[in-house]
Amino acid sequence: MKTKPYKQDNSALGYNVGVTLDRFIKSHQSHFAYATGELSQLLRDIALAAKIVSREISRAGLSQVTGAYGNVNIQGEEQQKLDVVADIRFTRALTKGGEVCAVVSEEEDEVIDLHNSKGKYVVAIDPLDGSSNIDVNVSIGTIFSIYRRITPTGSPIQAEDILQKGTDQVAAGYVLYGSSTMLVYTTGMGVNGFTYERSLGEFFLSHSQMKTPQVGNIYTINEGLHRELDENIHSYLLQCKERGYTARYIGSLVADFHRNLLKGGIYLYPATKKNPQGKIRLLYEANALAFIAEQSGGLATDGKKRILDIVPSELHQRTPFYIGSESMVKDVSSFYLDL
Ligand code: AHM
Ligand code: MG
């Protein structure tokens, strides 16, 4: 019988879908420092929870999960029902997966010890970021950081397992629930983005080896905070305007960060009079995005030092946050050099 080798021909398809997230994770597993497959499984657990949360969000208006939950979280912020739903979904996926020994969440007062004697990983998560946009159909996100536990598996969780520096992250990422749902992550070998194909129930590689422009023309800040900001930021913002930069602010960090990552720009959440340490949480928000920013060629600082070098002293620690295109972040830092 005559045979011929398989030759991929996409010309009749009109478009070419990328590799699935599952296959991508598997094919890159051997690159990890500890290539036993657990980190791969953990990333898949996160992707599964992301699909469930994406579904909950997309039908929120119909399924009575909009509105306030009636509780104020440890951050002093009113929890939305979807904040709680997302917290449950991610924590449950991480618990059932079996690779994680502890979860720290923006929505929980304390460390959740999963009492999993085999779990080698700790996850820090903001289950649903952009709370003020949840009920108004504006993009929101999930942010996660993954660390290896330091103390031996099977022993009680210690502070040193949780309070690790951003440079200790073994993987980090975010999910953006926008006009499409995307999962973007890094394991320290570049940044890859996957778009969710709802009808197939799969994430497909759509943004391979993402690189952020070295300079951009978007600045992203809540300018309503003007009276709360210091003189250095006033001067920097004036410079942005004099240079003709464009202002863009969604109020969902994931969405604002993602846009700037693709287009070039800077996101700023400085210290304010109300929040002298800034608003953005180091463990749940800043570290993961800083890792992704650096892996894509950008920078993240607190105005004076690199975010990833900050040694956390408490769970819900906040930090001033400047992240985005390298030259823009350096520029804003130069306004703080005299301090
Ligand atoms: P959240 O995690 O409670 O949603 O808070 C973080 C959010 C960020 O997504 C966003 O950039 C910022 O807070 C918006 O704050 P503000 O309303 O002060 O502009
Ligand atoms: Mg948040």
Side-chain angles (χ1 to χ4, degrees):
M1 184 185 285
K2 257 177 87 183
T3 63
K4 62 177 185 179
Y6 172 67
K7 198 167 135 257
Q8 190 167 319
D9 177 8
N10 294 322
S11 52
L13 299 177
Y15 71 102
N16 185 16
V17 289
V19 60
T20 64
L21 174 64
D22 223 42
R23 193 167 289 176
F24 184 89
I25 290 172
K26 238 178 256 164
S27 66
H28 286 68
Q29 185 174 304
S30 60
H31 300 169
F32 301 152
Y34 315 92
T36 51
E38 286 133 322
L39 181 58
S40 298
Q41 184 55 44
L42 173 42
L43 289 166
R44 289 199 287 264
D45 296 340
I46 288 176
L48 173 64
K51 289 180 195 175
I52 297 170
V53 170
S54 174
R55 186 194 58 185
E56 306 271 12
I57 290 168
S58 65
R59 61 181 195 188
L62 300 170
S63 62
Q64 280 141 22
V65 287
T66 55
Y69 180 62
N71 186 36
V72 173
N73 68 11
I74 183 74
Q75 319 292 334
E77 294 157 356
E78 189 173 43
Q79 281 182 311
Q80 303 299 300
K81 285 183 198 160
L82 270 174
D83 278 327
V84 180
V85 168
D87 192 38
I88 293 170
R89 292 297 187 190
F90 277 99
T91 310
R92 195 170 288 174
L94 295 170
T95 308
K96 300 249 189 264
E99 290 74 31
V100 177
C101 56
V103 177
V104 285
S105 162
E106 189 182 299
E107 300 301 332
E108 304 283 347
D109 310 11
E110 322 236 5
V111 177
I112 304 169
D113 186 338
L114 300 182
H115 296 293
N116 172 9
S117 59
K118 296 202 180 89
K120 292 185 189 139
Y121 293 96
V122 170
V123 174
I125 191 160
D126 180 354
L128 210 51
D129 178 67
S131 292
S132 64
N133 286 323
I134 287 178
D135 283 353
V136 289
N137 216 348
V138 172
S139 299
I140 46 185
T142 296
I143 309 172
F144 61 91
S145 290
I146 303 174
Y147 300 86
R148 271 181 81 85
R149 73 173 293 174
I150 290 172
T151 57
T153 47
S155 60
I157 296 297
Q158 303 294 323
E160 61 194 289
D161 295 318
I162 307 293
L163 301 177
Q164 301 194 48
K165 281 188 301 188
T167 47
D168 296 328
Q169 292 172 102
V170 290
Y174 61 83
V175 185
L176 171 60
Y177 310 100
S179 43
S180 63
T181 293
M182 278 194 75
L183 189 150
V184 176
Y185 82 96
T186 182
T187 53
M189 284 168 295
V191 179
N192 290 288
F194 299 79
T195 300
Y196 185 47
E197 224 298 1
R198 200 171 293 274
S199 61
L200 298 174
E202 291 272 15
F203 282 99
F204 289 92
L205 181 64
S206 53
H207 296 63
S208 175
Q209 287 297 321
M210 297 166 83
K211 287 286 165 218
T212 196
Q214 203 256 339
V215 59
N217 70 352
I218 297 173
Y219 71 104
T220 301
I221 185 169
N222 181 350
E223 287 214 71
L225 296 170
H226 182 82
R227 285 186 311 172
E228 295 263 325
L229 303 174
D230 67 30
E231 283 310 311
N232 299 296
I233 292 298
H234 288 162
S235 310
Y236 178 73
L237 294 177
L238 190 61
Q239 178 183 290
C240 290
K241 287 167 192 145
E242 280 166 352
R243 289 183 176 175
Y245 290 173
T246 295
R248 289 283 182 272
Y249 190 72
I250 297 169
S252 290
L253 174 55
V254 171
D256 278 314
F257 173 77
H258 183 75
R259 180 203 53 242
N260 292 357
L261 174 70
L262 295 180
K263 295 193 162 188
I266 182 168
Y267 171 97
L268 311 94
Y269 210 114
T272 61
K273 287 181 191 148
K274 182 174 157 216
N275 287 314
Q277 306 307 320
K279 178 180 182 191
I280 301 304
R281 270 78 22 157
L282 180 61
L283 289 184
Y284 317 117
E285 299 168 319
N287 272 340
L289 299 186
F291 192 13
I292 289 176
E294 289 199 5
Q295 283 292 313
S296 64
L299 278 184
T301 76
D302 69 354
K304 291 166 216 157
K305 57 179 179 301
R306 185 182 176 215
I307 290 291
L308 296 179
D309 285 335
I310 300 173
V311 182
S313 54
E314 53 180 291
L315 215 52
H316 299 288
Q317 187 166 331
R318 295 171 188 250
T319 178
F321 197 41
Y322 306 94
I323 188 165
S325 293
E326 181 187 341
S327 77
M328 299 177 90
V329 176
K330 281 189 176 155
D331 227 12
V332 78
S333 301
S334 70
F335 283 83
Y336 281 100
L337 286 179
D338 52 334
L339 293 180

